[in-house]
Amino acid sequence: MNSTIVQSDISFSLDPANGVPIYRQIIQQIEYGILSGRMKSGDRLPTIRSLAVNLKINPNTIAKAYNELEIKGILATQVGSGTYISDKKPELEEDARLQKVREVLRRFIQEMKDLGVDTGELIALIKSFPQR
Amino acid sequence: MNSTIVQSDISFSLDPANGVPIYRQIIQQIEYGILSGRMKSGDRLPTIRSLAVNLKINPNTIAKAYNELEIKGILATQVGSGTYISDKKPELEEDARLQKVREVLRRFIQEMKDLGVDTGELIALIKSFPQR
Amino acid sequence: MNSTIVQSDISFSLDPANGVPIYRQIIQQIEYGILSGRMKSGDRLPTIRSLAVNLKINPNTIAKAYNELEIKGILATQVGSGTYISDKKPELEEDARLQKVREVLRRFIQEMKDLGVDTGELIALIKSFPQR
Amino acid sequence: MNSTIVQSDISFSLDPANGVPIYRQIIQQIEYGILSGRMKSGDRLPTIRSLAVNLKINPNTIAKAYNELEIKGILATQVGSGTYISDKKPELEEDARLQKVREVLRRFIQEMKDLGVDTGELIALIKSFPQR
DNA sequence: GTGGTCTAGACCACT
DNA sequence: GTGGTCTAGACCACA
């Protein structure tokens, strides 16, 4: 009864008035959860229905998020069993993370440059950013 | 009718498959053009029709962008003459700019945190970012 | 009013009692339409609503098909404008087609082998297959 | 209890992420095992429990497969003794096999047609297919 | 219990 | 007009 299935310790935090669609927030948190190492291949995700209850949203919305991640090959679903993080080569995950980090960084620096902020100011800004 | 009116040297580069709505890309490029000094108060903007032809997009889309900027007080239309960059107090613009900077920064730091990158690493990353 | 937008000459034929989900039949017909050359980059697909009316199915079902193809990078949607076949390098499409052909062929030969039919019989079977 | 009963040398290879339901993979492997002669009438199948442990799947799944095969008359369970391959008339099996062959062939030809491959090319393709 | 499919309908942003 | 998001709910196959 107490099988060895690993249940990811996911705590989704949604911001409904964010502009970002709910299903996309879920996608992002799963992706980042994997890329940061908090979730790993083979982990089982919360069931669609349980998440729907916890987050107080419609199951279809979660299904949409899970489904998109499955198309991308990040999740694998087994009807009747649950949804799992796909077992792509874990070595590649670190690559994906670095790639993502670099992409986010590049876009950020470009945006700041467009706003007239150079890297010197940038560092000062980050250093003075209120830690939470 | 065709006097020595200054025509801003605007070169819009739109990416329809960008996720960012086209009308917002136009708004952003005008705003950034002003903030960076490429465009200044009194400059005349291209007509909606000419832009629509050049960019091969729907005139309504440009009208929406111009309209939103006029509401913000950034543009001013003079019927029969064209659309001009208003002579709004630059302090207001500076406020908007700082607000934008803070928002971009906050989102960036959150994203990096989700990716498992703390502010210390962040500074190192930015310092080592290849200047272009 | 009579713009030069190319509208793909798509004639979807659905078989509701097929076992294969409707949305997947749509996906397959679009994919095969592209791979066979009947549809090409930049073509505009029927609107979700018009297809829904023609096929007498719910718009959401078509949206699901279009959406999956967009995630895969095969389609590109522009809200307010329509859904288009993405302009990935067309040279790659021929590759994709050959790859697909080889995959289907390989699976077929394996299935037949499992059923105890060798390639000699296979050719005879195909030759005697009633042409439509 | 453990006499010289012949135990079929079944080696199931399941692929959970196959699209094909697990219970159907089991059915198929038993059916193909019989059609190919590896398993024959009277052979005893593994117990549901032992298979469930070996394959690390839910016993219900195996029960469903066995049950469906029993309904088809391919298996016969003897309470307290086990599950056996029935001594059904082989002609019936041959019928089923031909039916399956025809169905697979028909679907294959349709798929290839959708990919723009006609029967002429098809035969050439099969002839040139690398024998393994 | 699990996820998958489909319908129906509301509301929204964008062109 | 276009597609996107989300809800609600029904029914299904699978483990």
Side-chain angles (χ1 to χ4, degrees), chain C:
Chain C
M1 209 63 92
N2 220 333
S3 63
T4 55
I5 286 177
V6 178
Q7 176 92 22
S8 292
D9 60 336
I10 305 177
S11 56
F12 290 99
S13 63
L14 300 182
D15 179 1
N18 200 9
V20 181
I22 296 175
Y23 87 98
R24 196 147 290 284
Q25 295 184 39
I26 297 173
I27 288 176
Q28 190 169 328
Q29 298 198 21
I30 294 175
E31 282 185 340
Y32 284 179
I34 295 173
L35 293 180
S36 72
R38 287 193 308 279
M39 297 154 68
K40 55 189 183 313
S41 292
D43 283 4
R44 188 176 188 263
L45 289 166
T47 69
I48 288 178
R49 284 174 176 86
S50 67
L51 249 194
V53 171
N54 286 343
L55 301 177
K56 296 197 184 74
I57 59 179
N58 191 294
N60 286 339
T61 303
I62 296 153
K64 186 172 184 177
Y66 281 14
N67 186 40
E68 175 157 344
L69 287 169
E70 186 182 14
I71 294 172
K72 284 199 199 165
I74 292 173
L75 298 184
T77 67
Q78 293 175 238
V79 181
S81 166
T83 305
Y84 301 82
I85 295 174
S86 162
D87 53 356
K88 310 163 82 159
K89 313 273 178 303
E91 316 94 64
L92 294 181
E93 288 177 5
E94 183 60 14
D95 269 6
R97 179 176 165 271
L98 286 180
Q99 224 172 327
K100 189 86 183 171
V101 166
R102 241 169 296 157
E103 181 203 323
V104 169
L105 178 64
R106 191 191 49 70
R107 219 178 40 216
F108 169 67
I109 289 184
Q110 179 59 47
E111 272 188 285
M112 282 307 197
K113 219 180 79 183
D114 288 342
L115 284 166
V117 181
D118 65 30
T119 45
E121 295 178 79
L122 225 48
I123 293 171
L125 273 171
I126 293 174
K127 280 181 178 164
S128 69
F129 190 81
Q131 308 279 352
R132 189 166 40 133

Side-chain angles (χ1 to χ4, degrees), chain B residues 7 23-24 31 53 57 64 68-69 74 76-77 86 93-97 100-101 104 106 113 117 120-121 128:
Chain B
Q7 175 92 22
Y23 88 98
R24 192 149 291 283
E31 285 186 338
V53 171
I57 59 179
K64 182 169 187 175
E68 192 158 307
L69 286 167
I74 292 173
T77 63
S86 87
E93 292 173 358
E94 184 60 14
D95 264 9
R97 179 176 163 272
K100 183 86 182 165
V101 165
V104 169
R106 189 192 51 70
K113 218 181 79 183
V117 181
E121 294 179 80
S128 69

Side-chain angles (χ1 to χ4, degrees), chain A residues 47-54 59 62:
Chain A
T47 68
I48 288 178
R49 286 174 174 87
S50 68
L51 249 195
V53 171
N54 287 342
I62 295 154

Side-chain angles (χ1 to χ4, degrees), chain A residues 32 97 110 115-116 126 132, chain B residues 97 113-115 126 132:
Chain A
Y32 284 180
R97 179 175 165 270
Q110 180 60 46
L115 284 166
I126 293 173
R132 187 166 43 131
Chain B
R97 179 176 163 272
K113 218 181 79 183
D114 289 341
L115 284 167
I126 293 174
R132 192 168 34 141

